[in-house]
């Protein structure tokens, strides 16, 4: 069954609409959803910020800082779409418009494959984030459950889903605080999922464009041979036309990559800094809480979530690198020697351009790739070792 173009982007669209970031949303609806998201995110950050005021040691600060940085990072993601609304709209327009350059069934199949893959990434990523958030947050209910099932002489100490100070008695208003935290977490995580999954969709679209370009260059001579049957005069013109069209498609893929990077690179630089610091501090907390199995599980979940988040972006960046470099290999494997010399020279320009990989960066400093993913993890481990040497009691 052949789906419409909108089908492949519907999951990411729904996420974005929930936080008021879908470019084609009605203005009032968009503003309402955006304000609600920002208000809930702010009401989540204020109690976390208040806890820093009452902290009396480094241990308390270390415990509060990673979730607080996560909340700030989510706001950065949301405002990235807001402040780059024109670029985001242009990128989203191209998702639909670029289908018009496809000419054959094979090219449509390639684009559908990558679009479907982007849809699956959006579904799986969103499911992972929501399930992890629920598990992480509901572990704070364990003391209450144990008090009912296995009561002690004194109630077990309560744990909030994340460290915060609400200026009231936490024991008395625990469930009200818990409810607010769950609602705020759900909305904030929707902002995170909306930002990330749409980015994955953009990257898959880029990979699809590069795959189509490679397919065209691999079959440029056979395609022209078929068309020559209907053209008796000037067959060289048909070779030239098809090579130029393929070069134009390659240019569109490069342009889309550059445009995507310009929209996200500053935001990614801030996010990368937060992830590196947050991961290091969470590792310190894990090493301190190893004797408390419930807390250790919470920190393991948080560390795994941070690593998964960074890995997904590194994996997508690696895909862009690989697909951009594959263009030169596909040209070389094609029947370039059967086309006129003038068109062969045009292919040389494309091969020269494809020697340098297209990349997605964080502030033009960090290139998203699997190799650099391990570098960030190693850096976080180094900072963890350094922080562990200090007394945080």
């Amino acid at each position: 069954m052949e789906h419409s173009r909108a089908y492949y982007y519907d999951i990411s669209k729904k996420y974005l609409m929930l936080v008021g970031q879908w470019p084609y949303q009605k203005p009032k609806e968009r503003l309402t959803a955006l304000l609600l998201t920002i208000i809930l995110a702010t009401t989540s950050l204020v109690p976390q910020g208040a806890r820093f005021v009452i902290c009396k040691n480094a241990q308390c600060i270390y415990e509060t800082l990673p979730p607080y940085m996560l909340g700030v990072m989510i706001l950065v993601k949301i405002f990235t779409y807001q402040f780059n609304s024109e670029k985001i709209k242009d990128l989203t327009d191209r998702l639909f418009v670029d289908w018009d350059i496809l000419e054959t069934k094979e090219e449509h199949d390639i684009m559908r494959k990558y679009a479907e893959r982007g849809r699956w990434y959006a579904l799986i990523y969103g499911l992972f984030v929501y399930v992890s958030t629920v598990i992480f947050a509901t572990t704070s209910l364990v003391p209450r459950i144990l008090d009912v099932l296995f009561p002690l002489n004194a109630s077990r100490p309560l744990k909030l889903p994340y460290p915060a100070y609400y200026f009231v008695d936490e024991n008395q208003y625990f469930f009200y605080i818990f409810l607010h935290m769950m609602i705020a977490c759900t909305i904030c995580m929707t902002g995170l999922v909306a930002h990330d999954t749409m980015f994955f969709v953009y990257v898959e679209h880029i990979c699809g464009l590069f795959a189509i370009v490679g397919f065209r260059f691999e079959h440029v001579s056979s395609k022209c041979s078929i068309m020559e049957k209907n053209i008796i005069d000037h067959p060289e013109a048909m070779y030239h036309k098809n090579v130029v069209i393929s070069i134009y498609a390659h240019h569109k893929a490069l342009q889309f990559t550059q445009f995507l990077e310009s929209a996200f690179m500053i935001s990614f630089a801030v996010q990368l800094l937060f992830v590196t610091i947050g991961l290091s501090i969470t590792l310190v907390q894990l090493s301190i809480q190893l004797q408390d199995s419930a807390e250790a599980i919470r920190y393991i979940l948080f560390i795994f979530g941070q690593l998964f988040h960074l890995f997904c972006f590194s994996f997508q960046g690696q895909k862009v690198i690989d697909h951009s470099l594959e263009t030169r290999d596909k040209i070389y494997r094609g029947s370039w020697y059967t086309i006129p010399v003038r068109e062969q020279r045009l292919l040389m320009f494309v091969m020269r351009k494809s020697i340098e990989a297209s990349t997605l960066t964080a502030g033009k400093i960090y290139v998203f790739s699997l190799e650099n993913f391990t570098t960030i993890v190693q850096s976080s481990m180094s900072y963890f070792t350094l922080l562990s040497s200090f007394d945080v009691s």
Side-chain angles (χ1 to χ4, degrees):
M1 180 180 176
E2 207 170 289
H3 299 286
S4 65
R5 301 175 191 180
Y7 164 80
Y8 299 106
Y9 314 120
D10 61 349
I11 295 177
S12 298
K13 171 187 173 181
K14 290 172 183 176
Y15 288 142
L16 288 169
M17 289 184 70
L18 287 172
V19 293
Q21 298 295 321
W22 181 244
Y24 312 109
Q25 210 167 349
K26 294 179 181 178
K28 288 185 179 179
E29 181 183 333
R30 182 177 183 180
L31 182 61
T32 302
L34 179 62
L35 286 176
L36 178 63
T37 302
I38 293 174
I39 289 171
L40 282 172
T42 304
T43 59
S44 173
L45 287 174
V46 169
Q48 292 182 75
R51 194 169 192 271
F52 285 115
V53 178
I54 66 171
C55 280
K56 297 179 180 179
N57 53 46
Q59 165 65 17
C60 177
I61 294 174
Y62 282 2
E63 184 182 3
T64 309
L65 192 57
Y68 182 79
M69 293 175 67
L70 175 61
V72 175
M73 187 174 71
I74 290 172
L75 279 180
V76 169
K77 289 177 180 288
I78 292 171
F79 284 123
T80 297
Y81 271 71
Q82 188 63 27
F83 293 145
N84 293 283
S85 57
E86 291 301 319
K87 288 184 179 180
I88 298 300
K89 187 176 186 304
D90 192 16
L91 287 167
T92 308
D93 287 341
R94 295 187 189 194
L95 288 178
F96 297 94
V97 172
D98 286 346
W99 288 73
D100 296 331
I101 69 172
L102 309 180
E103 297 179 343
T104 64
K105 180 182 180 300
E106 290 83 357
E107 292 177 4
H108 278 86
D109 289 342
I110 291 171
M111 184 61 84
R112 275 194 292 268
K113 182 183 76 172
Y114 282 92
E116 182 69 37
R117 190 175 295 170
R119 189 176 188 273
W120 273 106
Y121 284 159
L123 181 63
I124 294 170
Y125 187 85
L127 185 64
F128 171 83
V129 170
Y130 287 125
V131 171
S132 300
T133 301
V134 170
I135 293 174
F136 182 85
T138 52
T139 53
S140 62
L141 294 176
V142 171
R144 287 279 185 171
I145 296 172
L146 291 176
D147 282 342
V148 174
L149 299 178
F150 308 102
L152 300 175
N153 292 331
S155 297
R156 293 174 175 85
L158 294 177
K159 278 283 185 181
L160 295 176
Y162 52 83
Y165 179 63
Y166 276 79
F167 307 96
V168 295
D169 186 341
E170 292 180 358
N171 291 318
Q172 183 179 354
Y173 296 97
F174 175 79
F175 287 107
Y176 294 104
I177 294 173
F178 180 83
L179 181 62
H180 171 262
M181 285 185 165
M182 287 301 296
I183 294 173
C185 277
T186 302
I187 297 299
C188 288
M189 286 303 170
T190 301
L192 180 144
V193 170
H195 172 283
D196 294 354
T197 55
M198 199 64 203
F199 178 78
F200 299 157
V201 167
Y202 291 143
V203 171
E204 288 302 316
H205 185 74
I206 290 171
C207 294
L209 289 176
F210 277 122
I212 289 167
V213 168
F215 174 82
R216 286 184 175 182
F217 283 129
E218 275 187 307
H219 300 85
V220 65
S221 61
S222 59
K223 180 179 178 182
C224 290
S225 298
I226 295 172
M227 300 181 98
E228 279 179 30
K229 295 179 181 178
N230 300 321
I231 301 177
I232 305 301
D233 300 322
H234 308 297
E236 294 83 1
M238 185 51 59
Y239 280 106
H240 183 78
K241 177 183 176 182
N242 284 287
V243 170
V244 168
I245 290 175
S246 300
I247 293 173
Y248 174 71
H250 182 247
H251 174 72
K252 286 183 73 69
L254 295 175
Q255 190 180 49
F256 196 107
T257 307
Q258 294 169 356
F259 205 66
L260 179 63
E261 184 191 19
S262 69
F264 287 91
M265 66 176 181
I266 297 177
S267 169
F268 281 154
V270 177
Q271 294 179 46
L272 188 65
L273 177 64
F274 285 175
V275 168
T276 305
I277 297 174
L279 184 58
S280 304
I281 296 175
T282 310
L283 286 169
V284 173
Q285 287 300 104
L286 176 61
S287 66
I288 296 172
Q289 300 290 346
L290 282 175
Q291 70 280 1
D292 186 341
S293 57
E295 280 299 293
I297 291 173
R298 281 163 55 85
Y299 283 115
I300 289 172
L301 283 173
F302 196 65
I303 290 170
F304 184 74
Q306 290 173 299
L307 290 174
F308 180 75
H309 173 260
L310 180 60
F311 175 80
C312 287
F313 282 94
S314 300
F315 178 67
Q316 294 295 324
Q318 186 67 51
K319 290 187 69 173
V320 172
I321 293 172
D322 293 341
H323 279 74
S324 63
L325 293 176
E326 283 176 3
T327 303
R328 65 184 182 187
D329 299 328
K330 290 182 177 180
I331 293 175
Y332 183 76
R333 290 198 301 265
S335 302
W336 52 268
Y337 46 84
T338 62
I339 64 176
V341 175
R342 183 177 64 162
E343 281 63 46
Q344 291 180 22
R345 289 173 180 165
L346 291 176
L347 294 182
M348 290 293 292
F349 287 108
V350 180
M351 291 188 72
R352 173 64 185 85
K353 190 69 176 176
S354 301
I355 291 175
E356 300 175 5
S358 295
T359 59
L360 298 172
T361 69
K364 294 290 185 182
I365 300 173
Y366 174 86
V367 176
F368 285 102
S369 67
L370 294 180
E371 180 181 359
N372 287 336
F373 168 73
T374 59
T375 302
I376 290 296
V377 174
Q378 290 171 356
S379 299
S380 297
M381 291 298 295
S382 299
Y383 298 141
F384 155 67
T385 305
L386 177 64
L387 291 172
S388 298
S389 65
F390 296 104
D391 182 13
V392 296
S393 58

